[in-house]
Amino acid sequence: MGRMHVDLAFGYRPSAIVVTDLDDERLDLVRALFQQRAAQLGIALVACRAAEVANVVAALSEQRGADDVIVAVGSHSAIETAHQLVARGGVINLFGGLKHSEALVPVDTSAIHYKEINLTGSSGGSAWDLAHTLELMSAGQVDPGQHIARVGDLSPRRRAPRARQVPGDRWQGVVYPTPPCR
């Protein structure tokens, strides 16, 4: 889901897009998919390890912080780090949710108050989100082929939970069941 956010961010023409991850392979994929497009648009694209993100954002923003921080993963540390990265008047969007039993995260309410941070959440699953995404795809602004790894029907659905446990299989995703078109 984070790569889709990168793709969508190009439409806003930011001066920089910073992507962070714990996995070098995913960072390499972000570079491969988006580095050329970012260069063509004059956008600095930095894909860095999570441990480096604070220094990267500080350098790119002249210590002001990021205008928008999207947390696209359900992670306590990512949410806590977002508070450190966001600029005064910035937005933190919690796109990746946590497990219900682990949903409470310490929040620096003084930072939210004094830095005037907007903390929000979204799922990207509203009717408007889906319609807007289809518009962007039909206009050629988003290439769904870069984000879809597998397409199939649900007939083998009984095997799906076991498939997710296969060593080395690192898929994540969303399933939108539709009626068969036969």
Side-chain angles (χ1 to χ4, degrees):
M1 299 310 284
R3 285 193 310 268
M4 180 65 83
H5 284 287
V6 173
D7 208 355
L8 293 169
F10 284 114
Y12 294 97
R13 299 293 195 270
S15 60
I17 298 172
V18 178
V19 179
T20 186
D21 203 311
L22 300 173
D23 185 283
D24 288 329
E25 288 180 33
R26 290 193 296 248
L27 292 170
D28 290 341
L29 181 57
V30 165
R31 290 182 197 100
L33 290 173
F34 302 114
Q35 195 73 57
Q36 183 177 3
R37 183 174 168 198
Q40 290 171 345
L41 295 170
I43 297 171
L45 175 68
V46 180
C48 64
R49 298 289 301 234
E52 304 165 331
V53 71
N55 290 333
V56 168
V57 169
L60 286 170
S61 68
E62 298 175 348
Q63 307 300 319
R64 288 188 311 272
D67 294 323
D68 299 289
V69 178
I70 299 170
V71 182
V73 62
S75 159
H76 280 253
S77 63
I79 294 168
E80 291 171 16
T81 300
H83 286 83
Q84 299 165 14
L85 301 175
V86 70
R88 178 181 181 87
V91 175
I92 299 173
N93 183 339
L94 303 180
F95 188 84
L98 296 166
K99 293 178 187 176
H100 184 67
S101 61
E102 301 172 7
L104 297 179
V105 177
V107 174
D108 184 346
T109 58
S110 291
I112 291 173
H113 174 76
Y114 290 111
K115 287 175 64 178
E116 300 174 349
I117 296 169
N118 293 297
L119 178 61
T120 188
S122 64
S123 69
S126 72
W128 182 91
D129 291 325
L130 297 175
H132 184 61
T133 301
L134 291 173
E135 289 171 8
L136 292 171
M137 286 190 281
S138 66
Q141 294 177 13
V142 172
D143 178 6
Q146 294 182 331
H147 308 288
I148 298 172
R150 297 182 182 114
V151 175
D153 65 27
L154 294 177
S155 59
R157 65 189 168 274
R158 289 187 202 129
R159 293 193 311 261
R162 286 190 296 274
R164 189 172 176 122
Q165 297 171 4
V166 174
D169 188 14
R170 300 169 46 195
W171 66 275
Q172 299 172 337
V174 178
V175 175
Y176 289 104
T178 57
C181 299
R182 297 179 189 167

PDB file of all heavy atoms in Angstrom, residues 76-106:
ATOM      1  N   HIS A  76       3.770   0.261  15.807  1.00  0.00           N
ATOM      2  CA  HIS A  76       3.883   1.250  16.886  1.00  0.00           C
ATOM      3  C   HIS A  76       5.043   2.200  16.623  1.00  0.00           C
ATOM      4  O   HIS A  76       4.897   3.419  16.748  1.00  0.00           O
ATOM      5  CB  HIS A  76       4.103   0.557  18.238  1.00  0.00           C
ATOM      6  CG  HIS A  76       2.859   0.021  18.848  1.00  0.00           C
ATOM      7  ND1 HIS A  76       2.279   0.605  19.934  1.00  0.00           N
ATOM      8  CD2 HIS A  76       2.079  -1.032  18.520  1.00  0.00           C
ATOM      9  CE1 HIS A  76       1.186  -0.075  20.259  1.00  0.00           C
ATOM     10  NE2 HIS A  76       1.047  -1.066  19.413  1.00  0.00           N
ATOM     11  N   SER A  77       6.204   1.660  16.294  1.00  0.00           N
ATOM     12  CA  SER A  77       7.378   2.523  16.120  1.00  0.00           C
ATOM     13  C   SER A  77       7.206   3.464  14.929  1.00  0.00           C
ATOM     14  O   SER A  77       7.649   4.613  14.982  1.00  0.00           O
ATOM     15  CB  SER A  77       8.658   1.689  15.974  1.00  0.00           C
ATOM     16  OG  SER A  77       8.607   0.891  14.816  1.00  0.00           O
ATOM     17  N   ALA A  78       6.548   3.022  13.857  1.00  0.00           N
ATOM     18  CA  ALA A  78       6.321   3.911  12.711  1.00  0.00           C
ATOM     19  C   ALA A  78       5.406   5.073  13.090  1.00  0.00           C
ATOM     20  O   ALA A  78       5.639   6.216  12.694  1.00  0.00           O
ATOM     21  CB  ALA A  78       5.728   3.122  11.544  1.00  0.00           C
ATOM     22  N   ILE A  79       4.391   4.790  13.880  1.00  0.00           N
ATOM     23  CA  ILE A  79       3.473   5.849  14.319  1.00  0.00           C
ATOM     24  C   ILE A  79       4.190   6.825  15.242  1.00  0.00           C
ATOM     25  O   ILE A  79       4.051   8.041  15.113  1.00  0.00           O
ATOM     26  CB  ILE A  79       2.222   5.245  14.989  1.00  0.00           C
ATOM     27  CG1 ILE A  79       1.405   4.462  13.960  1.00  0.00           C
ATOM     28  CG2 ILE A  79       1.371   6.330  15.649  1.00  0.00           C
ATOM     29  CD1 ILE A  79       0.314   3.598  14.549  1.00  0.00           C
ATOM     30  N   GLU A  80       4.973   6.304  16.163  1.00  0.00           N
ATOM     31  CA  GLU A  80       5.722   7.175  17.075  1.00  0.00           C
ATOM     32  C   GLU A  80       6.749   8.016  16.314  1.00  0.00           C
ATOM     33  O   GLU A  80       6.922   9.204  16.603  1.00  0.00           O
ATOM     34  CB  GLU A  80       6.385   6.339  18.163  1.00  0.00           C
ATOM     35  CG  GLU A  80       5.371   5.731  19.129  1.00  0.00           C
ATOM     36  CD  GLU A  80       5.986   4.725  20.087  1.00  0.00           C
ATOM     37  OE1 GLU A  80       7.224   4.697  20.234  1.00  0.00           O
ATOM     38  OE2 GLU A  80       5.219   3.963  20.701  1.00  0.00           O
ATOM     39  N   THR A  81       7.400   7.434  15.327  1.00  0.00           N
ATOM     40  CA  THR A  81       8.373   8.169  14.520  1.00  0.00           C
ATOM     41  C   THR A  81       7.697   9.266  13.715  1.00  0.00           C
ATOM     42  O   THR A  81       8.261  10.347  13.532  1.00  0.00           O
ATOM     43  CB  THR A  81       9.129   7.207  13.584  1.00  0.00           C
ATOM     44  OG1 THR A  81       9.810   6.234  14.377  1.00  0.00           O
ATOM     45  CG2 THR A  81      10.133   7.944  12.718  1.00  0.00           C
ATOM     46  N   ALA A  82       6.485   9.022  13.242  1.00  0.00           N
ATOM     47  CA  ALA A  82       5.760  10.018  12.446  1.00  0.00           C
ATOM     48  C   ALA A  82       5.625  11.335  13.202  1.00  0.00           C
ATOM     49  O   ALA A  82       5.757  12.413  12.617  1.00  0.00           O
ATOM     50  CB  ALA A  82       4.380   9.494  12.062  1.00  0.00           C
ATOM     51  N   HIS A  83       5.412  11.264  14.497  1.00  0.00           N
ATOM     52  CA  HIS A  83       5.285  12.480  15.312  1.00  0.00           C
ATOM     53  C   HIS A  83       6.585  13.283  15.310  1.00  0.00           C
ATOM     54  O   HIS A  83       6.560  14.513  15.406  1.00  0.00           O
ATOM     55  CB  HIS A  83       4.889  12.132  16.750  1.00  0.00           C
ATOM     56  CG  HIS A  83       3.471  11.723  16.887  1.00  0.00           C
ATOM     57  ND1 HIS A  83       3.047  10.452  16.644  1.00  0.00           N
ATOM     58  CD2 HIS A  83       2.377  12.431  17.220  1.00  0.00           C
ATOM     59  CE1 HIS A  83       1.740  10.391  16.840  1.00  0.00           C
ATOM     60  NE2 HIS A  83       1.306  11.574  17.175  1.00  0.00           N
ATOM     61  N   GLN A  84       7.698  12.610  15.214  1.00  0.00           N
ATOM     62  CA  GLN A  84       8.992  13.291  15.193  1.00  0.00           C
ATOM     63  C   GLN A  84       9.301  13.894  13.819  1.00  0.00           C
ATOM     64  O   GLN A  84      10.081  14.829  13.716  1.00  0.00           O
ATOM     65  CB  GLN A  84      10.099  12.313  15.577  1.00  0.00           C
ATOM     66  CG  GLN A  84       9.947  11.727  16.956  1.00  0.00           C
ATOM     67  CD  GLN A  84      10.834  10.509  17.159  1.00  0.00           C
ATOM     68  OE1 GLN A  84      11.736  10.251  16.377  1.00  0.00           O
ATOM     69  NE2 GLN A  84      10.565   9.752  18.207  1.00  0.00           N
ATOM     70  N   LEU A  85       8.702  13.359  12.766  1.00  0.00           N
ATOM     71  CA  LEU A  85       9.016  13.775  11.398  1.00  0.00           C
ATOM     72  C   LEU A  85       8.161  14.920  10.885  1.00  0.00           C
ATOM     73  O   LEU A  85       8.576  15.649   9.991  1.00  0.00           O
ATOM     74  CB  LEU A  85       8.848  12.583  10.439  1.00  0.00           C
ATOM     75  CG  LEU A  85       9.685  11.354  10.713  1.00  0.00           C
ATOM     76  CD1 LEU A  85       9.307  10.246   9.741  1.00  0.00           C
ATOM     77  CD2 LEU A  85      11.166  11.681  10.623  1.00  0.00           C
ATOM     78  N   VAL A  86       6.974  15.069  11.418  1.00  0.00           N
ATOM     79  CA  VAL A  86       6.012  16.010  10.841  1.00  0.00           C
ATOM     80  C   VAL A  86       6.330  17.455  11.233  1.00  0.00           C
ATOM     81  O   VAL A  86       6.756  17.736  12.350  1.00  0.00           O
ATOM     82  CB  VAL A  86       4.560  15.623  11.233  1.00  0.00           C
ATOM     83  CG1 VAL A  86       4.288  15.868  12.710  1.00  0.00           C
ATOM     84  CG2 VAL A  86       3.548  16.310  10.353  1.00  0.00           C
ATOM     85  N   ALA A  87       6.109  18.343  10.289  1.00  0.00           N
ATOM     86  CA  ALA A  87       6.368  19.772  10.493  1.00  0.00           C
ATOM     87  C   ALA A  87       5.205  20.441  11.217  1.00  0.00           C
ATOM     88  O   ALA A  87       4.106  19.884  11.314  1.00  0.00           O
ATOM     89  CB  ALA A  87       6.571  20.456   9.140  1.00  0.00           C
ATOM     90  N   ARG A  88       5.428  21.640  11.663  1.00  0.00           N
ATOM     91  CA  ARG A  88       4.366  22.460  12.247  1.00  0.00           C
ATOM     92  C   ARG A  88       3.248  22.617  11.209  1.00  0.00           C
ATOM     93  O   ARG A  88       3.507  22.951  10.053  1.00  0.00           O
ATOM     94  CB  ARG A  88       4.914  23.824  12.638  1.00  0.00           C
ATOM     95  CG  ARG A  88       3.870  24.745  13.208  1.00  0.00           C
ATOM     96  CD  ARG A  88       4.488  26.119  13.572  1.00  0.00           C
ATOM     97  NE  ARG A  88       3.473  26.958  14.143  1.00  0.00           N
ATOM     98  CZ  ARG A  88       3.138  26.987  15.422  1.00  0.00           C
ATOM     99  NH1 ARG A  88       3.774  26.208  16.273  1.00  0.00           N
ATOM    100  NH2 ARG A  88       2.186  27.775  15.861  1.00  0.00           N
ATOM    101  N   GLY A  89       2.018  22.352  11.622  1.00  0.00           N
ATOM    102  CA  GLY A  89       0.876  22.446  10.716  1.00  0.00           C
ATOM    103  C   GLY A  89       0.757  21.279   9.761  1.00  0.00           C
ATOM    104  O   GLY A  89      -0.087  21.289   8.866  1.00  0.00           O
ATOM    105  N   GLY A  90       1.585  20.270   9.949  1.00  0.00           N
ATOM    106  CA  GLY A  90       1.581  19.108   9.060  1.00  0.00           C
ATOM    107  C   GLY A  90       0.487  18.111   9.392  1.00  0.00           C
ATOM    108  O   GLY A  90      -0.272  18.273  10.352  1.00  0.00           O
ATOM    109  N   VAL A  91       0.412  17.078   8.575  1.00  0.00           N
ATOM    110  CA  VAL A  91      -0.608  16.043   8.714  1.00  0.00           C
ATOM    111  C   VAL A  91       0.061  14.683   8.880  1.00  0.00           C
ATOM    112  O   VAL A  91       0.994  14.347   8.137  1.00  0.00           O
ATOM    113  CB  VAL A  91      -1.521  15.998   7.466  1.00  0.00           C
ATOM    114  CG1 VAL A  91      -2.506  14.837   7.546  1.00  0.00           C
ATOM    115  CG2 VAL A  91      -2.256  17.316   7.295  1.00  0.00           C
ATOM    116  N   ILE A  92      -0.424  13.919   9.835  1.00  0.00           N
ATOM    117  CA  ILE A  92      -0.051  12.513   9.972  1.00  0.00           C
ATOM    118  C   ILE A  92      -1.296  11.706   9.626  1.00  0.00           C
ATOM    119  O   ILE A  92      -2.340  11.873  10.260  1.00  0.00           O
ATOM    120  CB  ILE A  92       0.404  12.156  11.398  1.00  0.00           C
ATOM    121  CG1 ILE A  92       1.628  12.968  11.799  1.00  0.00           C
ATOM    122  CG2 ILE A  92       0.695  10.653  11.504  1.00  0.00           C
ATOM    123  CD1 ILE A  92       2.026  12.796  13.260  1.00  0.00           C
ATOM    124  N   ASN A  93      -1.193  10.864   8.609  1.00  0.00           N
ATOM    125  CA  ASN A  93      -2.302  10.008   8.206  1.00  0.00           C
ATOM    126  C   ASN A  93      -1.950   8.574   8.567  1.00  0.00           C
ATOM    127  O   ASN A  93      -0.985   8.017   8.043  1.00  0.00           O
ATOM    128  CB  ASN A  93      -2.556  10.129   6.702  1.00  0.00           C
ATOM    129  CG  ASN A  93      -3.743   9.310   6.247  1.00  0.00           C
ATOM    130  OD1 ASN A  93      -4.167   8.368   6.914  1.00  0.00           O
ATOM    131  ND2 ASN A  93      -4.271   9.652   5.106  1.00  0.00           N
ATOM    132  N   LEU A  94      -2.722   7.990   9.462  1.00  0.00           N
ATOM    133  CA  LEU A  94      -2.528   6.592   9.846  1.00  0.00           C
ATOM    134  C   LEU A  94      -3.332   5.727   8.881  1.00  0.00           C
ATOM    135  O   LEU A  94      -4.523   5.526   9.052  1.00  0.00           O
ATOM    136  CB  LEU A  94      -2.965   6.369  11.293  1.00  0.00           C
ATOM    137  CG  LEU A  94      -2.280   7.248  12.329  1.00  0.00           C
ATOM    138  CD1 LEU A  94      -2.797   6.922  13.723  1.00  0.00           C
ATOM    139  CD2 LEU A  94      -0.774   7.110  12.253  1.00  0.00           C
ATOM    140  N   PHE A  95      -2.669   5.266   7.843  1.00  0.00           N
ATOM    141  CA  PHE A  95      -3.317   4.431   6.842  1.00  0.00           C
ATOM    142  C   PHE A  95      -3.239   2.958   7.243  1.00  0.00           C
ATOM    143  O   PHE A  95      -4.133   2.188   6.982  1.00  0.00           O
ATOM    144  CB  PHE A  95      -2.666   4.647   5.469  1.00  0.00           C
ATOM    145  CG  PHE A  95      -3.399   3.980   4.350  1.00  0.00           C
ATOM    146  CD1 PHE A  95      -4.480   4.612   3.762  1.00  0.00           C
ATOM    147  CD2 PHE A  95      -3.019   2.736   3.896  1.00  0.00           C
ATOM    148  CE1 PHE A  95      -5.170   4.001   2.727  1.00  0.00           C
ATOM    149  CE2 PHE A  95      -3.703   2.122   2.866  1.00  0.00           C
ATOM    150  CZ  PHE A  95      -4.777   2.752   2.278  1.00  0.00           C
ATOM    151  N   GLY A  96      -2.144   2.574   7.864  1.00  0.00           N
ATOM    152  CA  GLY A  96      -1.979   1.190   8.308  1.00  0.00           C
ATOM    153  C   GLY A  96      -2.454   1.050   9.740  1.00  0.00           C
ATOM    154  O   GLY A  96      -1.955   1.730  10.629  1.00  0.00           O
ATOM    155  N   GLY A  97      -3.415   0.199   9.948  1.00  0.00           N
ATOM    156  CA  GLY A  97      -3.970   0.021  11.286  1.00  0.00           C
ATOM    157  C   GLY A  97      -3.212  -1.012  12.098  1.00  0.00           C
ATOM    158  O   GLY A  97      -2.473  -1.828  11.572  1.00  0.00           O
ATOM    159  N   LEU A  98      -3.402  -0.933  13.393  1.00  0.00           N
ATOM    160  CA  LEU A  98      -2.819  -1.900  14.319  1.00  0.00           C
ATOM    161  C   LEU A  98      -3.862  -2.942  14.689  1.00  0.00           C
ATOM    162  O   LEU A  98      -5.060  -2.710  14.543  1.00  0.00           O
ATOM    163  CB  LEU A  98      -2.343  -1.179  15.579  1.00  0.00           C
ATOM    164  CG  LEU A  98      -1.221  -0.162  15.390  1.00  0.00           C
ATOM    165  CD1 LEU A  98      -1.092   0.719  16.621  1.00  0.00           C
ATOM    166  CD2 LEU A  98       0.084  -0.873  15.102  1.00  0.00           C
ATOM    167  N   LYS A  99      -3.395  -4.060  15.219  1.00  0.00           N
ATOM    168  CA  LYS A  99      -4.323  -5.057  15.736  1.00  0.00           C
ATOM    169  C   LYS A  99      -5.167  -4.409  16.823  1.00  0.00           C
ATOM    170  O   LYS A  99      -4.676  -3.579  17.599  1.00  0.00           O
ATOM    171  CB  LYS A  99      -3.562  -6.236  16.343  1.00  0.00           C
ATOM    172  CG  LYS A  99      -2.793  -7.051  15.367  1.00  0.00           C
ATOM    173  CD  LYS A  99      -2.049  -8.153  16.111  1.00  0.00           C
ATOM    174  CE  LYS A  99      -1.129  -8.893  15.191  1.00  0.00           C
ATOM    175  NZ  LYS A  99      -0.333  -9.890  15.920  1.00  0.00           N
ATOM    176  N   HIS A 100      -6.429  -4.803  16.895  1.00  0.00           N
ATOM    177  CA  HIS A 100      -7.337  -4.200  17.876  1.00  0.00           C
ATOM    178  C   HIS A 100      -6.773  -4.287  19.287  1.00  0.00           C
ATOM    179  O   HIS A 100      -6.858  -3.341  20.060  1.00  0.00           O
ATOM    180  CB  HIS A 100      -8.712  -4.868  17.789  1.00  0.00           C
ATOM    181  CG  HIS A 100      -9.723  -4.235  18.689  1.00  0.00           C
ATOM    182  ND1 HIS A 100     -10.184  -2.948  18.497  1.00  0.00           N
ATOM    183  CD2 HIS A 100     -10.332  -4.691  19.806  1.00  0.00           C
ATOM    184  CE1 HIS A 100     -11.054  -2.652  19.442  1.00  0.00           C
ATOM    185  NE2 HIS A 100     -11.155  -3.690  20.254  1.00  0.00           N
ATOM    186  N   SER A 101      -6.157  -5.413  19.620  1.00  0.00           N
ATOM    187  CA  SER A 101      -5.631  -5.593  20.975  1.00  0.00           C
ATOM    188  C   SER A 101      -4.374  -4.759  21.238  1.00  0.00           C
ATOM    189  O   SER A 101      -3.946  -4.628  22.374  1.00  0.00           O
ATOM    190  CB  SER A 101      -5.321  -7.072  21.220  1.00  0.00           C
ATOM    191  OG  SER A 101      -4.334  -7.518  20.300  1.00  0.00           O
ATOM    192  N   GLU A 102      -3.771  -4.189  20.183  1.00  0.00           N
ATOM    193  CA  GLU A 102      -2.548  -3.398  20.327  1.00  0.00           C
ATOM    194  C   GLU A 102      -2.730  -1.974  19.808  1.00  0.00           C
ATOM    195  O   GLU A 102      -1.758  -1.307  19.449  1.00  0.00           O
ATOM    196  CB  GLU A 102      -1.407  -4.080  19.574  1.00  0.00           C
ATOM    197  CG  GLU A 102      -1.113  -5.486  20.049  1.00  0.00           C
ATOM    198  CD  GLU A 102      -0.115  -6.202  19.156  1.00  0.00           C
ATOM    199  OE1 GLU A 102       0.447  -5.568  18.242  1.00  0.00           O
ATOM    200  OE2 GLU A 102       0.087  -7.403  19.369  1.00  0.00           O
ATOM    201  N   ALA A 103      -3.951  -1.495  19.753  1.00  0.00           N
ATOM    202  CA  ALA A 103      -4.265  -0.244  19.064  1.00  0.00           C
ATOM    203  C   ALA A 103      -3.873   1.025  19.818  1.00  0.00           C
ATOM    204  O   ALA A 103      -3.855   2.097  19.228  1.00  0.00           O
ATOM    205  CB  ALA A 103      -5.755  -0.202  18.732  1.00  0.00           C
ATOM    206  N   LEU A 104      -3.559   0.920  21.096  1.00  0.00           N
ATOM    207  CA  LEU A 104      -3.204   2.115  21.847  1.00  0.00           C
ATOM    208  C   LEU A 104      -1.724   2.430  21.667  1.00  0.00           C
ATOM    209  O   LEU A 104      -0.864   1.580  21.870  1.00  0.00           O
ATOM    210  CB  LEU A 104      -3.529   1.941  23.323  1.00  0.00           C
ATOM    211  CG  LEU A 104      -5.017   1.751  23.641  1.00  0.00           C
ATOM    212  CD1 LEU A 104      -5.214   1.560  25.148  1.00  0.00           C
ATOM    213  CD2 LEU A 104      -5.824   2.932  23.144  1.00  0.00           C
ATOM    214  N   VAL A 105      -1.454   3.685  21.283  1.00  0.00           N
ATOM    215  CA  VAL A 105      -0.087   4.141  21.041  1.00  0.00           C
ATOM    216  C   VAL A 105       0.104   5.454  21.792  1.00  0.00           C
ATOM    217  O   VAL A 105      -0.776   6.320  21.750  1.00  0.00           O
ATOM    218  CB  VAL A 105       0.145   4.387  19.525  1.00  0.00           C
ATOM    219  CG1 VAL A 105       1.529   4.932  19.264  1.00  0.00           C
ATOM    220  CG2 VAL A 105      -0.090   3.120  18.737  1.00  0.00           C
ATOM    221  N   PRO A 106       1.239   5.638  22.474  1.00  0.00           N
ATOM    222  CA  PRO A 106       1.477   6.925  23.136  1.00  0.00           C
ATOM    223  C   PRO A 106       1.498   8.055  22.102  1.00  0.00           C
ATOM    224  O   PRO A 106       2.091   7.929  21.042  1.00  0.00           O
ATOM    225  CB  PRO A 106       2.857   6.758  23.771  1.00  0.00           C
ATOM    226  CG  PRO A 106       3.116   5.290  23.797  1.00  0.00           C
ATOM    227  CD  PRO A 106       2.322   4.695  22.677  1.00  0.00           C
TER     228      PRO A 106
END
